[in-house]
Amino acid sequence: MLIMLTAGVASGASAQTDASPDVSPPAVSNPPSQVQQTAPAPAPPPASIEPEPTPPGAIGPTSAESQITAFDITVRAPAAVRELLEKHLELQRYRAVTDLDAAELARLMVLAESNARNLLGTLGYFSPDIRITREGGINEQPHIVVAVEPGPVTTIDAVNLTFGGDIAQSSDADAVAQRFQITRNWRLPAGDRFTQDGWSGAKTQALRELVARRYPAGKLGGSLADVDAESNSAKLSVHLDSGPLYRLGPLEVTGIERYDPVLVPRLTRLKQGAVYDQKDLVQAQQRLTSSGYFDSAYVFINPESDPLTVPVQIQVREAKLQKVILGVGVTSDSGPRASVEYTHHRLPGIGWNAATKLQIEEKLPFAQTEWTAIPDEKNWRLNALGRFERIDDGTLATQAQRLRFGKLQLGDTIDRNVFLQYDRANIQGPGTVGNTLASVGDGSALTANFFWTGRYFDSVPFPSRGHAISAELGVGTTLTGEHQPFTRTVVRWMGIEPLEGSRIALRAEGGAVLAKDGERIPGTQLFRTGGDTTVRGYGYRDIGIALQNGVIGPGRYLAVGSAEWQRPLMLKGRPSEFENTLFIDAGAVANELRDLRASVGIGTGLRWRSPIGPLQIDLAYGLKVSKARLHISLGFAF
């Protein structure tokens, strides 16, 4: 989501003089603008545009090539400045004027020296040696030579960054921290080379940091680049005027028709009286667009309103009340699949969202329906789920049912889920012969559960740094045979750390079920691992407890670890959308901690940052089974 408030800064001074030009205050644009979630990205510009030839007698752009030229130009200068002069010298524009006489050409050559000084000043050269001469005989086409020795570059001697408005007067800790952050992040500090682009960019960045929090009406009050050509130094002065402090006022929502009016304020979670923060508005819009209730959303303020209670404007376009999604796909774990998903955003009578999905595939077909209420004022939602699935690994076929009721809280970084759950697993197939029902996971249970997940990545679904952690705790009793208590705990962690030109991704998972021997705990509450997203080099759920007749059963302890090196593939010297990986995975399942023995897989893979999420193609070799497997998966999940 993007805020509808944008700020623009006029470019800085022409650097060959001591005083910088006037700087315009930031402009406020009316919404909507630049909303990534709701509008397709514009087509990229062409790599190059060939200029149209300039007809004889006309004055064209400096980069245009004329059909007939009145004179030739050669720029003799170091490579650091030659390209700039060749492209932007005003003298280039007059090459197409074929009726120039000698006096007029001489006048243009005099003007060209001043033009060249201006151009060199934008790169920080304020004491250049410029000689412009004419070569060629009387009856020959004139040849103008621009010889330049740029001289020493100008460096920043001192920076004076001052503030006006509330940010200068406030003793509030947040205002003090904002002043410090703007000053610390100034992009053109003392000792750096002075350039026009750097000067303009530094002012723009400082203004962006000013208006991002507390002061959306902030502006650039004035700026001066005082250049001393003799000492090749520059003193910079910038004054930022914050204006008044802004606090959020009431929400003004337009576009709500079919859904409950309380839905928008509960999803946005913007509190009246809170200090303005652009990030809060961005997150509010993202929550609206990702909720499924809205096809698009715009959240913005008008800085011309009362700063003490500025109304928050929210414009939404509602999604259809009902939708059906048909899908097909394939994974190396379970083969081809087809699915149909039906969503009703407001069930008659209760107003809940209902998402029902039927998926048909060879190893894991399932039918599931999940009903979720709109969030309350603390962002908690009631939630109910029913799932029926069949898990077929060739020797054991698990008919599983799951019923769940509880409440969940979905935050920007932290999710919480509290619920009661009923699980039943009916195990069939040839693998049951010679094995007890408890050992293959046949049973049922009722549990009380708490799940907590924290995600701290820099971006999703393509993170380049950060970490995530989740914890699951369940306490319950078996319902098949003798009722016995048990506990179930699972902890997962993932970390991504950037390296020079690459990154390392680490993953770990551990689980334990504590119960008496022989309890009929359903297999869906026990552990098996292996496959595309766990231990590559092994088939889906191939790592477990070795039972009679070569059967693999579920266990009570789980340990999984992975290390993956990821390196972008270079295309024309720049990172592409593809990455190469090297990885090692290990996993173990046992009924006793002392019996955990790792099954290791090693391999290499390819990643593609596709429009619908990361596509992973891995070739892995399982050391224990001495066999290579191809793994294909799509998406990023934690």
Side-chain angles (χ1 to χ4, degrees):
M1 152 191 149
L2 297 177
I3 301 305
M4 298 300 100
L5 177 66
T6 60
V9 183
S11 30
S14 176
Q16 83 279 6
T17 63
D18 287 345
S20 66
D22 294 337
V23 181
S24 303
V28 177
S29 63
N30 292 325
S33 68
Q34 302 178 348
V35 179
Q36 296 176 355
Q37 291 79 1
T38 58
S48 62
I49 300 176
E50 295 297 330
E52 295 291 333
T54 303
I59 296 177
T62 58
S63 60
E65 294 184 3
S66 60
Q67 295 172 320
I68 301 176
T69 59
F71 55 87
D72 297 324
I73 297 178
T74 298
V75 176
R76 296 171 182 168
V81 300
R82 185 171 56 247
E83 183 179 359
L84 175 72
L85 295 173
E86 288 176 341
K87 285 186 176 181
H88 299 290
L89 268 176
E90 287 291 323
L91 196 59
Q92 296 277 13
R93 302 175 58 208
Y94 293 92
R95 295 179 63 199
V97 183
T98 56
D99 55 352
L100 286 174
D101 57 25
E104 184 64 20
L105 184 57
R107 187 183 71 85
L108 293 176
M109 291 170 59
V110 172
L111 295 176
E113 180 177 352
S114 175
N115 177 224
R117 289 185 182 277
N118 288 345
L119 292 173
L120 292 169
T122 65
L123 297 180
Y125 298 101
F126 291 96
S127 54
D129 180 14
I130 301 174
R131 289 169 293 163
I132 302 179
T133 58
R134 174 178 172 173
E135 298 180 356
I138 298 177
N139 296 324
E140 297 178 359
Q141 177 164 295
H143 184 192
I144 307 302
V145 177
V146 181
V148 174
E149 179 59 45
V153 70
T154 297
T155 58
I156 310 301
D157 180 55
V159 178
N160 182 26
L161 186 59
T162 60
F163 297 89
D166 180 83
I167 194 172
Q169 306 164 4
S170 177
S171 59
D172 184 273
D174 193 33
V176 174
Q178 189 172 4
R179 286 200 310 268
F180 174 77
Q181 179 183 9
I182 295 172
T183 304
R184 181 191 60 188
N185 295 343
W186 175 253
R187 290 186 173 182
L188 209 59
D192 275 19
R193 171 180 174 176
F194 177 88
T195 66
Q196 182 66 42
D197 287 345
W199 172 229
S200 299
K203 292 185 290 185
T204 301
Q205 176 62 24
L207 182 60
R208 285 176 178 167
E209 293 186 17
L210 176 67
V211 301
R213 293 189 294 120
R214 301 170 63 88
Y215 308 110
K219 62 183 180 180
L220 191 59
S223 63
L224 175 68
D226 186 2
V227 177
D228 185 345
E230 292 185 1
S231 64
N232 300 303
S233 63
K235 295 181 179 180
L236 307 182
S237 299
V238 177
H239 182 73
L240 295 173
D241 185 357
S242 71
L245 173 67
Y246 277 69
R247 293 186 180 274
L248 302 184
L251 304 185
E252 296 182 357
V253 183
T254 58
I256 282 287
E257 295 178 359
R258 61 173 63 100
Y259 300 129
D260 193 324
V262 304
L263 183 61
V264 170
R266 291 183 181 177
L267 286 174
T268 56
R269 304 202 291 274
L270 296 173
K271 297 181 179 180
Q272 187 168 344
V275 173
Y276 169 84
D277 192 323
Q278 180 178 320
K279 181 179 66 175
D280 293 340
L281 270 63
V282 169
Q283 292 176 344
Q285 184 169 305
Q286 288 176 335
R287 287 191 287 267
L288 290 172
T289 56
S290 63
S291 67
Y293 289 100
F294 306 104
D295 288 334
S296 64
Y298 307 96
V299 181
F300 57 95
I301 67 166
N302 181 0
E304 296 180 1
S305 303
D306 181 5
L308 295 179
T309 176
V310 58
V312 180
Q313 307 288 332
I314 301 178
Q315 300 173 358
V316 296
R317 181 162 60 89
E318 294 178 323
K320 298 292 185 181
L321 190 63
Q322 303 176 65
K323 69 176 180 180
V324 176
I325 300 176
L326 303 177
V328 295
V330 61
T331 67
S332 51
D333 276 345
S334 54
R337 64 169 180 253
S339 65
V340 56
E341 185 173 357
Y342 168 71
T343 301
H344 195 301
H345 287 300
R346 192 175 186 181
L347 286 175
I350 61 174
W352 289 24
N353 178 287
T356 302
K357 184 174 183 178
L358 174 65
Q359 182 163 297
I360 301 172
E361 60 180 88
E362 182 180 0
K363 292 187 177 181
L364 186 59
F366 69 85
Q368 175 179 296
T369 184
E370 184 172 14
W371 295 13
T372 307
I374 64 174
D376 62 18
E377 295 181 352
K378 295 184 178 180
N379 195 34
W380 285 95
R381 313 172 186 224
L382 293 176
N383 174 263
L385 177 142
R387 181 182 176 96
F388 301 85
E389 64 184 5
R390 176 183 174 87
I391 307 172
D392 191 347
D393 58 19
T395 58
L396 296 177
T398 303
Q399 303 280 357
Q401 300 87 42
R402 172 171 293 173
L403 298 175
R404 175 188 295 177
F405 183 81
K407 62 179 184 178
L408 55 87
Q409 184 185 60
L410 303 179
D412 297 319
T413 57
I414 296 177
D415 298 342
R416 299 176 178 87
N417 198 350
V418 181
F419 57 91
L420 290 174
Q421 181 167 291
Y422 168 78
D423 285 277
R424 183 176 185 274
N426 180 21
I427 312 298
Q428 301 174 348
T432 59
V433 178
N435 294 299
T436 65
L437 292 177
S439 67
V440 296
D442 185 286
S444 59
L446 179 67
T447 56
N449 301 270
F450 175 73
F451 286 11
W452 183 94
T453 301
R455 302 177 185 87
Y456 309 95
F457 295 112
D458 58 347
S459 66
V460 173
F462 304 108
S464 59
R465 68 167 63 238
H467 67 278
I469 187 170
S470 72
E472 304 174 9
L473 175 63
V475 178
T477 180
T478 59
L479 300 178
T480 302
E482 185 179 355
H483 294 192
Q484 293 289 342
F486 70 95
T487 63
R488 183 179 189 270
T489 304
V490 179
V491 176
R492 294 186 299 140
W493 175 84
M494 172 183 285
I496 300 177
E497 184 67 26
L499 305 174
E500 185 175 354
S502 61
R503 74 180 73 92
I504 187 78
L506 304 175
R507 174 168 47 88
E509 181 177 5
V513 173
L514 303 181
K516 291 183 178 180
D517 293 339
E519 285 193 28
R520 297 280 296 276
I521 301 173
T524 50
Q525 291 278 13
L526 299 172
F527 304 110
R528 291 175 64 176
T529 191
D532 296 343
T533 59
T534 53
V535 184
R536 290 160 289 188
Y538 300 83
Y540 180 56
R541 290 163 45 94
D542 275 0
I543 300 174
I545 303 298
L547 302 177
Q548 297 293 326
N549 303 319
V551 174
I552 302 297
R556 297 189 176 189
Y557 292 94
L558 168 73
V560 173
S562 173
E564 181 173 289
W565 179 68
Q566 305 168 347
R567 180 179 63 88
L569 297 179
M570 307 301 289
L571 182 63
K572 296 182 179 180
R574 302 182 63 182
S576 69
E577 298 297 310
F578 294 88
E579 293 182 342
N580 173 244
T581 66
L582 298 173
F583 59 84
I584 177 170
D585 297 342
V589 174
N591 281 328
E592 298 288 344
L593 279 173
R594 61 178 178 270
D595 296 331
L596 287 171
R597 300 290 185 273
S599 297
V600 179
I602 58 175
T604 184
L606 185 68
R607 305 285 182 269
W608 175 41
R609 295 164 62 99
S610 79
I612 57 175
L615 174 66
Q616 302 183 183
I617 303 176
D618 296 318
L619 181 62
Y621 183 78
L623 299 183
K624 181 172 287 188
V625 295
S626 301
K627 184 178 180 181
R629 298 182 67 93
L630 182 67
H631 297 271
I632 303 174
S633 61
L634 177 66
F636 173 82
F638 185 90

